[in-house]
């Protein structure tokens, strides 16, 4: 049972890190494509239409960080219990 908990903690660290990194990529993609690439153009509607990409990135980043920190906390609690 202890081995399963350790495996799940490491899995949550990996998935959380991957989710947080993909969230950051989505936020950067929004900033680059909707704001920077459109500077000087009269039609700025993509700032509005690309908002789901920004929100998806923010939600993924927040959820990934929460999962990552929870996994790290579980690993630390298991390692302090083993010594």
């Amino acid at each position: 049972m202890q081995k399963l908990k350790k495996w799940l903690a490491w899995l949550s660290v990996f998935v959380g890190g991957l989710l947080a990194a993909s969230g950051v990529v989505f936020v950067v993609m929004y900033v680059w494509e909707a704001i920077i690439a459109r500077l000087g153009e009269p039609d700025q509607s993509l700032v509005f239409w690309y908002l789901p990409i920004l929100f998806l990135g923010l939600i993924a980043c927040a959820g990934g960080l929460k999962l990552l920190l929870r996994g790290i906390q579980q690993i630390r609690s298991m390692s302090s219990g083993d010594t």
Side-chain angles (χ1 to χ4, degrees), residues 59-82:
I59 291 169
C61 192
L65 285 175
K66 186 173 181 178
L67 193 61
L68 177 71
L69 292 175
R70 184 181 296 168
I72 290 172
Q73 182 183 18
Q74 287 176 351
I75 290 171
R76 284 185 181 168
S77 70
M78 284 188 292
S79 66
S80 67
D82 289 341

Side-chain angles (χ1 to χ4, degrees), residues 6 8 13-14 29 31 33-34 46 49 56 62 69 75 80:
K6 192 176 218 180
L8 285 175
V13 167
F14 176 73
M29 185 172 61
V31 169
E33 289 295 323
L46 288 181
W49 290 110
L56 181 68
L69 292 175
I75 290 171
S80 67

Side-chain angles (χ1 to χ4, degrees), residues 3-83:
K3 191 169 189 147
L4 178 66
K5 286 183 181 180
K6 192 176 218 180
W7 187 81
L8 285 175
W10 280 106
L11 183 66
S12 70
V13 167
F14 176 73
V15 170
L18 192 63
L19 198 60
S22 66
V24 169
V25 167
F26 275 117
V27 170
V28 169
M29 185 172 61
Y30 172 79
V31 169
W32 185 263
E33 289 295 323
I35 297 173
I36 295 175
R38 305 288 178 228
L39 286 176
E41 290 186 12
D43 182 22
Q44 295 292 323
S45 65
L46 288 181
V47 173
F48 172 73
W49 290 110
Y50 282 179
L51 277 177
I53 293 172
L54 175 66
F55 293 145
L56 181 68
L58 291 174
I59 291 169
C61 192
L65 285 175
K66 186 173 181 178
L67 193 61
L68 177 71
L69 292 175
R70 184 181 296 168
I72 290 172
Q73 182 183 18
Q74 287 176 351
I75 290 171
R76 284 185 181 168
S77 70
M78 284 188 292
S79 66
S80 67
D82 289 341
T83 46

